Amino acid sequence: MQKIIIISSLLLLGCAQNTQSHPPVGGFLSEKDLNTSRNRAKNLNAAERLQIQDWIKNQKEEFYPMSLNYWVNVKDLQNNTRKDDGEVISYQYEIFDFDQVKLSETPRKNINVRFGKFEELKAVEDALRYLGNKDEATLLVPSVLAFGTYGDNDKIPNDMPLIIKIKVL
């Protein structure tokens, strides 16, 4: 009987510990949870940057870092005239993983979109601001600037860096 009471007590203590693996829905994160999240994002970003830089070393094509934390195959792209909010652009792009597997069946196409009203990946919008008419570029994008922690709920899983091939129409 005493063994049953001891085992039951241990089980109750084990169940009583509130170890939260996910933040509460609609709730607030504690300072510890925020720090854990920041550290995870920082470590993931550093690891992905190293992986992308290693991938670049094995390519025949040159890639150049952009200030927003992605790479592009157009030298000195940031020296081009930057398009302002309100300007209109039409473009399309395709998404690949770093094994060169195409993740979209058809190109994603947007016609006559205004800068400042974009609902697009930040790296795509940033690159488009510097690309001219009919220009093309390949972007190497860490997951934090792509679909992040949640993926796209389709073919792109969480925390996946991407290759994006973009063309101004």
Side-chain angles (χ1 to χ4, degrees):
M1 181 70 163
Q2 196 172 22
K3 287 181 183 179
I4 293 174
I5 292 173
I6 291 172
I7 292 171
S8 297
S9 298
L10 291 173
L11 286 173
L12 284 173
L13 284 174
C15 292
Q17 292 178 344
N18 187 7
T19 56
Q20 205 170 332
S21 61
H22 300 286
V25 175
F28 296 97
L29 294 175
S30 70
E31 191 64 34
K32 180 183 174 188
D33 291 336
L34 285 172
N35 286 334
T36 300
S37 178
R38 277 188 211 110
N39 288 335
R40 179 192 177 281
K42 182 179 175 183
N43 293 337
L44 178 64
N45 191 34
E48 286 181 0
R49 288 184 62 79
L50 287 174
Q51 290 171 344
I52 292 171
Q53 288 168 342
D54 285 343
W55 185 87
I56 290 171
K57 289 176 189 173
N58 296 317
Q59 303 306 304
K60 293 178 183 176
E61 187 173 20
E62 292 284 328
F63 287 88
Y64 308 93
M66 295 290 283
S67 62
L68 194 61
N69 192 28
Y70 67 94
W71 290 260
V72 66
N73 66 338
V74 178
K75 187 174 184 176
D76 298 324
L77 181 63
Q78 291 181 135
N79 292 339
N80 292 352
T81 304
R82 186 178 188 275
K83 294 175 185 69
D84 294 322
D85 284 351
E87 290 188 50
V88 176
I89 192 167
S90 296
Y91 62 95
Q92 69 181 27
Y93 65 93
E94 295 181 290
I95 299 174
F96 301 81
D97 66 17
F98 274 81
D99 291 326
Q100 304 285 339
V101 174
K102 192 174 177 181
L103 299 174
S104 53
E105 293 176 21
T106 59
R108 297 178 187 209
K109 191 181 235 182
N110 291 300
I111 306 296
N112 298 327
V113 178
R114 287 194 186 281
F115 284 105
K117 306 255 187 217
F118 264 47
E119 292 184 15
E120 193 60 80
L121 301 173
K122 291 297 181 193
V124 169
E125 179 180 359
D126 187 64
L128 285 169
R129 285 188 182 264
Y130 297 101
L131 291 170
N133 197 24
K134 307 290 184 203
D135 282 352
E136 296 183 30
T138 299
L139 314 179
L140 309 178
V141 183
S143 65
V144 71
L145 292 175
F147 290 92
T149 304
Y150 301 103
D152 74 343
N153 295 320
D154 189 20
K155 293 187 176 192
I156 301 169
N158 64 317
D159 299 328
M160 177 183 250
L162 299 172
I163 299 171
I164 300 174
K165 296 185 179 187
I166 190 167
K167 179 180 181 179
V168 179
L169 304 174

